[in-house]
mmCIF file of all heavy atoms in Angstrom:
data_model
loop_
_atom_site.group_PDB
_atom_site.id
_atom_site.type_symbol
_atom_site.label_atom_id
_atom_site.label_comp_id
_atom_site.label_asym_id
_atom_site.label_seq_id
_atom_site.Cartn_x
_atom_site.Cartn_y
_atom_site.Cartn_z
ATOM 1 N N ARG W 1 159.736 64.568 162.826
ATOM 2 C CA ARG W 1 160.728 65.402 162.249
ATOM 3 C C ARG W 1 160.784 65.340 160.784
ATOM 4 O O ARG W 1 160.988 66.365 160.067
ATOM 5 C CB ARG W 1 162.095 65.062 162.929
ATOM 6 C CG ARG W 1 162.237 65.515 164.359
ATOM 7 C CD ARG W 1 163.552 65.147 165.002
ATOM 8 N NE ARG W 1 163.727 65.613 166.270
ATOM 9 C CZ ARG W 1 163.224 65.087 167.337
ATOM 10 N NH1 ARG W 1 162.515 64.009 167.254
ATOM 11 N NH2 ARG W 1 163.443 65.616 168.532
ATOM 12 N N GLN W 2 160.674 64.120 160.275
ATOM 13 C CA GLN W 2 160.738 63.955 158.841
ATOM 14 C C GLN W 2 159.518 64.599 158.101
ATOM 15 O O GLN W 2 159.697 65.224 157.039
ATOM 16 C CB GLN W 2 160.741 62.416 158.456
ATOM 17 C CG GLN W 2 160.830 62.181 156.946
ATOM 18 C CD GLN W 2 160.798 60.714 156.661
ATOM 19 O OE1 GLN W 2 160.605 59.865 157.548
ATOM 20 N NE2 GLN W 2 161.015 60.400 155.292
ATOM 21 N N ASP W 3 158.370 64.469 158.739
ATOM 22 C CA ASP W 3 157.112 65.093 158.047
ATOM 23 C C ASP W 3 157.256 66.562 158.117
ATOM 24 O O ASP W 3 156.872 67.266 157.157
ATOM 25 C CB ASP W 3 155.822 64.686 158.747
ATOM 26 C CG ASP W 3 155.495 63.219 158.419
ATOM 27 O OD1 ASP W 3 155.852 62.749 157.345
ATOM 28 O OD2 ASP W 3 154.719 62.685 159.282
ATOM 29 N N LEU W 4 157.816 67.120 159.128
ATOM 30 C CA LEU W 4 158.018 68.600 159.245
ATOM 31 C C LEU W 4 158.994 69.089 158.250
ATOM 32 O O LEU W 4 158.704 70.028 157.502
ATOM 33 C CB LEU W 4 158.479 68.951 160.639
ATOM 34 C CG LEU W 4 158.743 70.414 160.919
ATOM 35 C CD1 LEU W 4 157.539 71.284 160.727
ATOM 36 C CD2 LEU W 4 159.277 70.673 162.296
ATOM 37 N N ALA W 5 160.050 68.300 158.028
ATOM 38 C CA ALA W 5 161.071 68.680 157.028
ATOM 39 C C ALA W 5 160.421 68.621 155.607
ATOM 40 O O ALA W 5 160.673 69.542 154.794
ATOM 41 C CB ALA W 5 162.293 67.804 157.103
ATOM 42 N N LEU W 6 159.725 67.621 155.320
ATOM 43 C CA LEU W 6 159.030 67.418 154.023
ATOM 44 C C LEU W 6 158.088 68.586 153.799
ATOM 45 O O LEU W 6 158.048 69.177 152.640
ATOM 46 C CB LEU W 6 158.236 66.129 153.914
ATOM 47 C CG LEU W 6 159.287 64.900 153.813
ATOM 48 C CD1 LEU W 6 158.365 63.587 153.930
ATOM 49 C CD2 LEU W 6 159.921 64.859 152.494
ATOM 50 N N MET W 7 157.306 68.952 154.772
ATOM 51 C CA MET W 7 156.334 69.999 154.560
ATOM 52 C C MET W 7 157.123 71.402 154.358
ATOM 53 O O MET W 7 156.696 72.133 153.435
ATOM 54 C CB MET W 7 155.505 70.228 155.942
ATOM 55 C CG MET W 7 154.460 71.367 155.780
ATOM 56 S SD MET W 7 153.607 71.737 157.225
ATOM 57 C CE MET W 7 154.928 72.377 158.284
ATOM 58 N N LEU W 8 158.122 71.654 155.127
ATOM 59 C CA LEU W 8 158.932 72.838 154.866
ATOM 60 C C LEU W 8 159.596 72.929 153.570
ATOM 61 O O LEU W 8 159.799 73.982 152.943
ATOM 62 C CB LEU W 8 159.920 73.114 156.040
ATOM 63 C CG LEU W 8 159.274 73.290 157.418
ATOM 64 C CD1 LEU W 8 160.342 73.322 158.512
ATOM 65 C CD2 LEU W 8 158.523 74.573 157.484
ATOM 66 N N ALA W 9 159.934 71.795 152.990
ATOM 67 C CA ALA W 9 160.636 71.635 151.680
ATOM 68 C C ALA W 9 159.607 71.817 150.524
ATOM 69 O O ALA W 9 160.045 72.091 149.421
ATOM 70 C CB ALA W 9 161.393 70.387 151.587
ATOM 71 N N SER W 10 158.353 71.540 150.763
ATOM 72 C CA SER W 10 157.333 71.677 149.675
ATOM 73 C C SER W 10 157.040 73.055 149.282
ATOM 74 O O SER W 10 156.798 73.943 150.101
ATOM 75 C CB SER W 10 156.053 71.029 150.258
ATOM 76 O OG SER W 10 154.967 71.299 149.283
ATOM 77 N N PRO W 11 157.088 73.355 147.996
ATOM 78 C CA PRO W 11 156.798 74.712 147.512
ATOM 79 C C PRO W 11 155.307 75.097 147.762
ATOM 80 O O PRO W 11 155.009 76.218 147.648
ATOM 81 C CB PRO W 11 157.245 74.661 146.085
ATOM 82 C CG PRO W 11 157.153 73.239 145.686
ATOM 83 C CD PRO W 11 157.516 72.408 146.886
ATOM 84 N N ALA W 12 154.541 74.074 147.948
ATOM 85 C CA ALA W 12 153.080 74.299 148.186
ATOM 86 C C ALA W 12 152.696 74.784 149.533
ATOM 87 O O ALA W 12 151.662 75.427 149.764
ATOM 88 C CB ALA W 12 152.249 73.141 147.751
ATOM 89 N N SER W 13 153.522 74.522 150.543
ATOM 90 C CA SER W 13 153.235 74.705 151.898
ATOM 91 C C SER W 13 154.126 75.750 152.523
ATOM 92 O O SER W 13 155.351 75.744 152.397
ATOM 93 C CB SER W 13 153.581 73.455 152.866
ATOM 94 O OG SER W 13 152.749 72.394 152.339
ATOM 95 N N ILE W 14 153.510 76.863 152.989
ATOM 96 C CA ILE W 14 154.190 77.905 153.624
ATOM 97 C C ILE W 14 153.715 78.002 155.128
ATOM 98 O O ILE W 14 152.514 78.307 155.432
ATOM 99 C CB ILE W 14 153.929 79.255 152.871
ATOM 100 C CG1 ILE W 14 154.370 79.254 151.490
ATOM 101 C CG2 ILE W 14 154.617 80.419 153.612
ATOM 102 C CD1 ILE W 14 153.238 78.906 150.447
ATOM 103 N N LEU W 15 154.667 77.810 155.959
ATOM 104 C CA LEU W 15 154.413 77.761 157.399
ATOM 105 C C LEU W 15 154.764 79.080 158.031
ATOM 106 O O LEU W 15 155.997 79.590 157.870
ATOM 107 C CB LEU W 15 155.140 76.656 158.104
ATOM 108 C CG LEU W 15 154.901 76.459 159.621
ATOM 109 C CD1 LEU W 15 153.432 76.077 159.951
ATOM 110 C CD2 LEU W 15 155.869 75.419 160.142
ATOM 111 N N PHE W 16 153.850 79.724 158.769
ATOM 112 C CA PHE W 16 154.145 81.017 159.499
ATOM 113 C C PHE W 16 154.054 80.637 161.017
ATOM 114 O O PHE W 16 153.306 79.769 161.467
ATOM 115 C CB PHE W 16 153.165 82.074 159.220
ATOM 116 C CG PHE W 16 153.357 82.574 157.851
ATOM 117 C CD1 PHE W 16 152.497 82.014 156.782
ATOM 118 C CD2 PHE W 16 154.270 83.627 157.565
ATOM 119 C CE1 PHE W 16 152.716 82.525 155.502
ATOM 120 C CE2 PHE W 16 154.392 84.116 156.315
ATOM 121 C CZ PHE W 16 153.590 83.520 155.252
ATOM 122 N N ALA W 17 155.031 81.244 161.732
ATOM 123 C CA ALA W 17 155.084 80.987 163.227
ATOM 124 C C ALA W 17 155.065 82.405 163.892
ATOM 125 O O ALA W 17 155.320 83.390 163.247
ATOM 126 C CB ALA W 17 156.365 80.265 163.522
ATOM 127 N N ALA W 18 154.602 82.360 165.130
ATOM 128 C CA ALA W 18 154.537 83.553 165.940
ATOM 129 C C ALA W 18 155.229 83.409 167.260
ATOM 130 O O ALA W 18 155.227 82.421 167.897
ATOM 131 C CB ALA W 18 153.049 84.004 166.101
ATOM 132 N N ARG W 19 155.777 84.574 167.682
ATOM 133 C CA ARG W 19 156.335 84.735 168.995
ATOM 134 C C ARG W 19 155.729 85.929 169.674
ATOM 135 O O ARG W 19 155.412 86.904 168.920
ATOM 136 C CB ARG W 19 157.861 84.912 169.021
ATOM 137 C CG ARG W 19 158.651 83.654 168.586
ATOM 138 C CD ARG W 19 160.171 83.911 168.814
ATOM 139 N NE ARG W 19 160.930 82.737 168.546
ATOM 140 C CZ ARG W 19 161.479 82.434 167.403
ATOM 141 N NH1 ARG W 19 161.437 83.309 166.425
ATOM 142 N NH2 ARG W 19 162.185 81.355 167.208
ATOM 143 N N HIS W 20 155.592 85.966 170.931
ATOM 144 C CA HIS W 20 155.200 87.071 171.652
ATOM 145 C C HIS W 20 156.086 87.280 172.810
ATOM 146 O O HIS W 20 156.468 86.355 173.516
ATOM 147 C CB HIS W 20 153.697 86.859 172.220
ATOM 148 C CG HIS W 20 152.991 88.156 172.722
ATOM 149 N ND1 HIS W 20 153.314 88.708 173.925
ATOM 150 C CD2 HIS W 20 152.149 88.892 172.087
ATOM 151 C CE1 HIS W 20 152.619 89.832 174.046
ATOM 152 N NE2 HIS W 20 151.860 89.944 172.957
ATOM 153 N N ALA W 21 156.471 88.566 173.081
ATOM 154 C CA ALA W 21 157.448 88.901 174.158
ATOM 155 C C ALA W 21 157.099 88.445 175.504
ATOM 156 O O ALA W 21 157.907 88.037 176.230
ATOM 157 C CB ALA W 21 157.645 90.406 174.155
ATOM 158 N N ASP W 22 155.817 88.231 175.750
ATOM 159 C CA ASP W 22 155.428 87.745 177.081
ATOM 160 C C ASP W 22 155.755 86.273 177.279
ATOM 161 O O ASP W 22 155.656 85.760 178.380
ATOM 162 C CB ASP W 22 153.880 87.838 177.233
ATOM 163 C CG ASP W 22 153.465 89.325 177.488
ATOM 164 O OD1 ASP W 22 154.350 90.201 177.615
ATOM 165 O OD2 ASP W 22 152.223 89.639 177.347
ATOM 166 N N PHE W 23 156.164 85.595 176.192
ATOM 167 C CA PHE W 23 156.477 84.156 176.221
ATOM 168 C C PHE W 23 157.900 83.848 175.796
ATOM 169 O O PHE W 23 158.347 82.810 175.402
ATOM 170 C CB PHE W 23 155.490 83.298 175.406
ATOM 171 C CG PHE W 23 154.061 83.489 175.832
ATOM 172 C CD1 PHE W 23 153.311 84.443 175.341
ATOM 173 C CD2 PHE W 23 153.544 82.682 176.817
ATOM 174 C CE1 PHE W 23 151.969 84.637 175.753
ATOM 175 C CE2 PHE W 23 152.243 82.761 177.209
ATOM 176 C CZ PHE W 23 151.534 83.792 176.704
ATOM 177 N N GLY W 24 158.741 84.940 175.875
ATOM 178 C CA GLY W 24 160.158 84.835 175.576
ATOM 179 C C GLY W 24 160.373 84.513 174.089
ATOM 180 O O GLY W 24 159.631 84.977 173.221
ATOM 181 N N ASP W 25 161.213 83.546 173.797
ATOM 182 C CA ASP W 25 161.569 83.107 172.448
ATOM 183 C C ASP W 25 160.619 81.954 171.960
ATOM 184 O O ASP W 25 160.829 81.477 170.894
ATOM 185 C CB ASP W 25 163.022 82.708 172.317
ATOM 186 C CG ASP W 25 163.893 83.887 172.368
ATOM 187 O OD1 ASP W 25 163.425 85.038 171.970
ATOM 188 O OD2 ASP W 25 165.100 83.734 172.663
ATOM 189 N N GLU W 26 159.709 81.501 172.893
ATOM 190 C CA GLU W 26 158.859 80.368 172.444
ATOM 191 C C GLU W 26 157.928 80.676 171.356
ATOM 192 O O GLU W 26 157.297 81.717 171.360
ATOM 193 C CB GLU W 26 158.148 79.981 173.733
ATOM 194 C CG GLU W 26 157.240 78.757 173.633
ATOM 195 C CD GLU W 26 156.673 78.387 174.968
ATOM 196 O OE1 GLU W 26 156.395 79.318 175.747
ATOM 197 O OE2 GLU W 26 156.305 77.193 175.165
ATOM 198 N N ILE W 27 157.849 79.676 170.398
ATOM 199 C CA ILE W 27 156.826 79.814 169.366
ATOM 200 C C ILE W 27 155.496 79.497 169.994
ATOM 201 O O ILE W 27 155.282 78.437 170.515
ATOM 202 C CB ILE W 27 157.198 78.789 168.178
ATOM 203 C CG1 ILE W 27 158.465 79.284 167.511
ATOM 204 C CG2 ILE W 27 156.019 78.786 167.196
ATOM 205 C CD1 ILE W 27 158.943 78.258 166.449
ATOM 206 N N ILE W 28 154.547 80.504 169.865
ATOM 207 C CA ILE W 28 153.278 80.299 170.489
ATOM 208 C C ILE W 28 152.147 80.317 169.547
ATOM 209 O O ILE W 28 150.922 80.196 169.913
ATOM 210 C CB ILE W 28 153.051 81.445 171.553
ATOM 211 C CG1 ILE W 28 153.399 82.763 171.105
ATOM 212 C CG2 ILE W 28 153.816 81.090 172.812
ATOM 213 C CD1 ILE W 28 152.352 83.504 170.322
ATOM 214 N N GLY W 29 152.412 80.213 168.196
ATOM 215 C CA GLY W 29 151.377 80.084 167.198
ATOM 216 C C GLY W 29 151.909 79.664 165.831
ATOM 217 O O GLY W 29 153.116 79.929 165.552
ATOM 218 N N LEU W 30 151.063 78.955 165.087
ATOM 219 C CA LEU W 30 151.447 78.478 163.753
ATOM 220 C C LEU W 30 150.248 78.635 162.862
ATOM 221 O O LEU W 30 149.055 78.601 163.269
ATOM 222 C CB LEU W 30 151.791 77.025 163.761
ATOM 223 C CG LEU W 30 152.967 76.564 164.616
ATOM 224 C CD1 LEU W 30 152.913 75.079 164.699
ATOM 225 C CD2 LEU W 30 154.272 77.096 164.081
ATOM 226 N N ALA W 31 150.511 78.775 161.593
ATOM 227 C CA ALA W 31 149.410 78.775 160.519
ATOM 228 C C ALA W 31 150.213 78.324 159.177
ATOM 229 O O ALA W 31 151.312 78.712 158.922
ATOM 230 C CB ALA W 31 148.790 80.194 160.372
ATOM 231 N N THR W 32 149.486 77.587 158.413
ATOM 232 C CA THR W 32 149.983 77.117 157.159
ATOM 233 C C THR W 32 149.141 77.605 155.986
ATOM 234 O O THR W 32 147.924 77.530 156.002
ATOM 235 C CB THR W 32 149.965 75.594 157.131
ATOM 236 O OG1 THR W 32 150.668 75.115 158.250
ATOM 237 C CG2 THR W 32 150.695 75.077 155.803
ATOM 238 N N LEU W 33 149.837 78.200 155.047
ATOM 239 C CA LEU W 33 149.202 78.614 153.757
ATOM 240 C C LEU W 33 149.555 77.542 152.722
ATOM 241 O O LEU W 33 150.740 77.218 152.569
ATOM 242 C CB LEU W 33 149.598 79.999 153.275
ATOM 243 C CG LEU W 33 149.177 80.410 151.916
ATOM 244 C CD1 LEU W 33 147.659 80.598 151.845
ATOM 245 C CD2 LEU W 33 149.950 81.720 151.553
ATOM 246 N N ILE W 34 148.568 77.062 151.999
ATOM 247 C CA ILE W 34 148.776 76.138 150.889
ATOM 248 C C ILE W 34 148.434 76.859 149.657
ATOM 249 O O ILE W 34 147.423 77.436 149.446
ATOM 250 C CB ILE W 34 147.894 74.843 151.059
ATOM 251 C CG1 ILE W 34 147.945 74.260 152.384
ATOM 252 C CG2 ILE W 34 148.168 73.884 149.934
ATOM 253 C CD1 ILE W 34 149.310 73.803 152.865
ATOM 254 N N LEU W 35 149.428 76.926 148.664
ATOM 255 C CA LEU W 35 149.262 77.512 147.409
ATOM 256 C C LEU W 35 149.358 76.381 146.350
ATOM 257 O O LEU W 35 150.473 75.685 146.349
ATOM 258 C CB LEU W 35 150.157 78.584 147.079
ATOM 259 C CG LEU W 35 150.019 79.859 147.907
ATOM 260 C CD1 LEU W 35 151.218 80.841 147.641
ATOM 261 C CD2 LEU W 35 148.749 80.577 147.533
ATOM 262 N N TYR W 36 148.389 76.262 145.401
ATOM 263 C CA TYR W 36 148.502 75.175 144.462
ATOM 264 C C TYR W 36 147.783 75.602 143.200
ATOM 265 O O TYR W 36 146.810 76.433 143.249
ATOM 266 C CB TYR W 36 147.949 73.848 144.981
ATOM 267 C CG TYR W 36 146.516 73.940 145.394
ATOM 268 C CD1 TYR W 36 145.548 73.437 144.554
ATOM 269 C CD2 TYR W 36 146.168 74.426 146.673
ATOM 270 C CE1 TYR W 36 144.110 73.433 144.973
ATOM 271 C CE2 TYR W 36 144.800 74.486 147.078
ATOM 272 C CZ TYR W 36 143.821 74.005 146.236
ATOM 273 O OH TYR W 36 142.542 74.067 146.646
ATOM 274 N N ARG W 37 148.166 75.103 142.077
ATOM 275 C CA ARG W 37 147.541 75.420 140.786
ATOM 276 C C ARG W 37 146.612 74.295 140.297
ATOM 277 O O ARG W 37 146.949 73.157 140.370
ATOM 278 C CB ARG W 37 148.608 75.727 139.717
ATOM 279 C CG ARG W 37 149.349 76.981 140.056
ATOM 280 C CD ARG W 37 150.203 77.451 138.882
ATOM 281 N NE ARG W 37 150.835 78.793 139.251
ATOM 282 C CZ ARG W 37 150.242 79.916 139.205
ATOM 283 N NH1 ARG W 37 149.033 80.029 138.666
ATOM 284 N NH2 ARG W 37 150.928 81.043 139.602
ATOM 285 N N VAL W 38 145.475 74.739 139.744
ATOM 286 C CA VAL W 38 144.556 73.789 139.132
ATOM 287 C C VAL W 38 144.217 74.469 137.786
ATOM 288 O O VAL W 38 144.632 75.572 137.532
ATOM 289 C CB VAL W 38 143.313 73.610 140.002
ATOM 290 C CG1 VAL W 38 143.700 72.823 141.349
ATOM 291 C CG2 VAL W 38 142.667 74.947 140.334
ATOM 292 N N PRO W 39 143.486 73.689 136.913
ATOM 293 C CA PRO W 39 143.112 74.263 135.600
ATOM 294 C C PRO W 39 142.461 75.656 135.625
ATOM 295 O O PRO W 39 142.578 76.439 134.727
ATOM 296 C CB PRO W 39 142.238 73.205 134.969
ATOM 297 C CG PRO W 39 142.761 71.974 135.569
ATOM 298 C CD PRO W 39 143.128 72.331 137.017
ATOM 299 N N THR W 40 141.769 75.913 136.687
ATOM 300 C CA THR W 40 140.983 77.211 136.815
ATOM 301 C C THR W 40 141.868 78.285 137.502
ATOM 302 O O THR W 40 141.242 79.365 137.780
ATOM 303 C CB THR W 40 139.641 76.977 137.509
ATOM 304 O OG1 THR W 40 139.858 76.307 138.782
ATOM 305 C CG2 THR W 40 138.743 76.033 136.672
ATOM 306 N N GLY W 41 143.025 77.997 137.852
ATOM 307 C CA GLY W 41 143.889 79.069 138.374
ATOM 308 C C GLY W 41 144.616 78.668 139.759
ATOM 309 O O GLY W 41 144.534 77.568 140.151
ATOM 310 N N LEU W 42 145.186 79.719 140.263
ATOM 311 C CA LEU W 42 145.948 79.504 141.537
ATOM 312 C C LEU W 42 144.964 79.536 142.714
ATOM 313 O O LEU W 42 144.078 80.421 142.792
ATOM 314 C CB LEU W 42 146.916 80.684 141.709
ATOM 315 C CG LEU W 42 147.827 80.641 142.957
ATOM 316 C CD1 LEU W 42 148.779 79.455 142.984
ATOM 317 C CD2 LEU W 42 148.691 81.982 143.016
ATOM 318 N N ARG W 43 145.046 78.654 143.578
ATOM 319 C CA ARG W 43 144.239 78.502 144.753
ATOM 320 C C ARG W 43 145.107 78.748 146.038
ATOM 321 O O ARG W 43 146.244 78.249 146.145
ATOM 322 C CB ARG W 43 143.653 77.192 144.856
ATOM 323 C CG ARG W 43 142.693 76.804 143.754
ATOM 324 C CD ARG W 43 141.330 77.559 143.936
ATOM 325 N NE ARG W 43 140.396 77.174 142.936
ATOM 326 C CZ ARG W 43 140.159 77.850 141.844
ATOM 327 N NH1 ARG W 43 140.886 78.962 141.630
ATOM 328 N NH2 ARG W 43 139.332 77.534 140.930
ATOM 329 N N GLY W 44 144.494 79.348 147.033
ATOM 330 C CA GLY W 44 145.105 79.446 148.306
ATOM 331 C C GLY W 44 144.182 78.912 149.424
ATOM 332 O O GLY W 44 142.981 79.059 149.291
ATOM 333 N N TYR W 45 144.792 78.234 150.371
ATOM 334 C CA TYR W 45 144.007 77.666 151.444
ATOM 335 C C TYR W 45 144.786 77.764 152.732
ATOM 336 O O TYR W 45 146.076 77.498 152.720
ATOM 337 C CB TYR W 45 143.741 76.192 151.159
ATOM 338 C CG TYR W 45 142.383 75.725 151.750
ATOM 339 C CD1 TYR W 45 141.209 75.963 151.118
ATOM 340 C CD2 TYR W 45 142.447 75.084 152.973
ATOM 341 C CE1 TYR W 45 140.002 75.561 151.693
ATOM 342 C CE2 TYR W 45 141.219 74.623 153.562
ATOM 343 C CZ TYR W 45 140.023 74.913 152.882
ATOM 344 O OH TYR W 45 138.871 74.480 153.515
ATOM 345 N N ILE W 46 144.153 78.187 153.786
ATOM 346 C CA ILE W 46 144.846 78.297 155.146
ATOM 347 C C ILE W 46 144.369 77.032 155.999
ATOM 348 O O ILE W 46 143.205 76.694 155.979
ATOM 349 C CB ILE W 46 144.419 79.563 155.834
ATOM 350 C CG1 ILE W 46 144.862 80.785 155.008
ATOM 351 C CG2 ILE W 46 144.940 79.545 157.258
ATOM 352 C CD1 ILE W 46 144.406 82.120 155.536
ATOM 353 N N GLU W 47 145.418 76.454 156.513
ATOM 354 C CA GLU W 47 145.200 75.241 157.336
ATOM 355 C C GLU W 47 145.842 75.408 158.710
ATOM 356 O O GLU W 47 146.863 76.101 158.870
ATOM 357 C CB GLU W 47 145.864 74.003 156.679
ATOM 358 C CG GLU W 47 145.104 73.480 155.377
ATOM 359 C CD GLU W 47 143.913 72.640 155.717
ATOM 360 O OE1 GLU W 47 143.627 72.377 156.946
ATOM 361 O OE2 GLU W 47 143.217 72.219 154.749
ATOM 362 N N ASP W 48 145.341 74.805 159.688
ATOM 363 C CA ASP W 48 145.986 74.590 160.973
ATOM 364 C C ASP W 48 146.501 75.900 161.658
ATOM 365 O O ASP W 48 147.579 76.062 161.973
ATOM 366 C CB ASP W 48 147.197 73.568 160.906
ATOM 367 C CG ASP W 48 146.679 72.157 160.560
ATOM 368 O OD1 ASP W 48 145.406 71.923 160.525
ATOM 369 O OD2 ASP W 48 147.483 71.267 160.140
#
């Protein structure tokens, strides 16, 4: 629970979730976008 809260609070981590009507209100998918800056510019990376 603590790691999840820390991830959601991080400006670098953007978590997306999905629901599908066939599964009611249950979250049935996740994906994380990481955005971070380095000397050569803004980078984006998709995880999990």
Side-chain angles (χ1 to χ4, degrees):
R1 284 179 177 82
Q2 180 181 7
D3 287 337
L4 179 60
L6 288 170
M7 180 188 69
L8 295 173
S10 170
S13 300
I14 299 98
L15 181 64
F16 290 94
R19 289 189 175 96
H20 193 284
D22 290 350
F23 300 89
D25 287 336
E26 187 176 21
I27 293 173
I28 46 85
L30 298 170
T32 307
L33 172 66
I34 309 301
L35 290 173
Y36 60 99
R37 294 196 175 273
V38 295
T40 55
L42 181 63
R43 297 282 184 264
Y45 209 82
I46 296 173
E47 290 277 359
D48 297 349

